[in-house]
Amino acid sequence: MPRKIAAGNWKMNGMQSTLSELQRLEDKHGDADIAILICPPFTLISACEDTPFDIGGQDCHAAEAGAHTGDISAEMLADVGASYVLVGHSERRTDHGETDALIAAKSKAAYDAGLIAVICIGETLDEREAGTTLDVIDAQLAGSVPDTADALTTVIAYEPVWAIGTGKVPTTDQIAEVHAHIRARLQDRFDDGSEFSLLYGGSVKGSNAADIFGVPHVNGALVGGASLTTADFSPIIAALEAA
Ligand code: PEP
C-alpha cells in the first residue's frame, strides 16, 4: 500500500518564533500513524530536528557541492536532518525557469543523498482549458521522474498550477482522472508503480480534505497555506488518518 502522507510546504514563511506551532502540532498528532512531513524554509530545518515529524527541504541544487552561491545541496539537507525534498514545485518552475531535465537531475541528487524526492507536476489553467492536461502530465512524468525512481525514494505530487494558493479546487472527478492516469503511467514504467504515494496539492483545506482523500489513488496532500497553523493543518491530517 502507498504511504499516506500529509505534507506541509511553508514556502517563504516562518521564523524561529513559528516553531511553537510545531509543538502544538506535536501535541495533537505526535503519534499519528501516517507520515507527517513539514517542509520549512532552509533556515529552520535544523531547528526542527527534535520534532517527531519528517522534515524536508523545499528545493535542492543538482550538484553535490561547489560554486553555486545561494544554493543548498541535497547532502546539506540530509546533514541537518531532512529526509525529503520537494523538487519541481510550480513556483520553482515559474520563478526560476526550472525544466523537467533539471528536476530529474535534482531528484537524482536527492537519491544520492538518501533523501526522498517529492516531484511536483501539474498543468496551468491555459493547458487545462486547451484540453492538454494529460499530455502535460505525461511530459512532466517522462521528463522529471528519473528511470532510477522507485516507490521508496519518490513521491509524486499532482498540483494543478491554477489551484495553488487560489482557493480554486478541481472537482473530485478531475482529480480522479489525473491521479488514475499518473498511477497507470507509473505502473507501465516501474515494477512498483502501484506503491508510489501520490499526493494532491492545491488549496486543500479542512473543509475539502475528506472529499479529496476519498478519491482513488490520492494517498495524501501537499498543503501550502493551510499547513502554516495547527488549527488549519490538523483537520487535514485527521481527514487523511480517517480516509
Ligand atoms: C503548495 O504550495 O504546494 C500548495 C498546494 O499551496 P496551497 O495549499 O496554498 O494551495
Side-chain angles (χ1 to χ4, degrees):
M1 283 283 287
R3 296 184 301 281
K4 287 187 188 179
I5 304 174
N9 172 17
W10 286 7
K11 311 193 187 197
M12 199 172 70
N13 298 292
M15 299 288 178
Q16 302 214 47
S17 54
T18 315
L19 293 172
S20 54
E21 206 53 56
L22 277 188
Q23 184 57 55
R24 273 190 279 278
L25 196 65
E26 181 174 345
D27 293 344
K28 291 195 90 151
H29 298 286
D31 55 2
D33 57 4
I34 61 169
I36 299 176
L37 166 64
I38 306 293
C39 300
F42 293 134
T43 48
L44 294 180
I45 289 179
S46 56
C48 292
E49 201 170 41
D50 292 333
T51 75
F53 308 123
D54 292 321
I55 301 299
Q58 297 175 13
D59 180 47
C60 66
H61 197 278
E64 255 178 55
H68 303 290
T69 302
D71 282 314
I72 304 276
S73 73
E75 210 176 337
M76 289 169 172
L77 292 173
D79 187 48
V80 289
S83 48
Y84 286 76
V85 62
L86 308 181
V87 291
H89 190 281
S90 74
E91 287 152 16
R92 300 290 313 176
R93 291 178 185 260
T94 305
D95 295 355
H96 300 269
E98 296 196 0
T99 62
D100 287 330
L102 178 63
I103 293 155
K106 289 182 178 206
S107 302
K108 286 184 199 158
Y111 305 155
D112 288 345
L115 299 180
I116 298 170
V118 180
I119 302 176
C120 304
I121 58 174
E123 81 286 0
T124 64
L125 189 56
D126 283 352
E127 289 163 341
R128 175 156 285 275
E129 286 177 348
T132 58
T133 296
L134 298 183
D135 298 329
V136 171
I137 295 299
D138 281 345
Q140 291 178 335
L141 284 174
S144 39
V145 181
D147 289 334
T148 51
D150 64 39
L152 293 178
T153 59
T154 306
V155 172
I156 305 294
Y158 167 56
E159 300 205 294
V161 178
W162 51 275
I164 296 178
T166 59
K168 292 184 192 145
V169 185
T171 64
T172 49
D173 284 350
Q174 288 172 321
I175 297 174
E177 180 189 35
V178 178
H179 275 247
H181 186 81
I182 294 171
R183 177 68 74 210
R185 284 288 177 268
L186 294 172
Q187 285 169 330
D188 288 345
R189 195 170 153 201
F190 300 102
D191 289 345
D192 62 353
S194 316
E195 303 298 316
F196 284 58
S197 294
L198 306 187
L199 311 186
Y200 167 77
S203 297
V204 177
K205 308 220 173 327
S207 54
N208 59 24
D211 286 345
I212 292 171
F213 297 144
V215 173
H217 305 296
V218 173
N219 310 117
L222 178 55
V223 183
S227 71
L228 293 174
T229 65
T230 300
D232 289 336
F233 200 25
S234 175
I236 297 172
I237 294 170
L240 185 58
E241 283 185 295

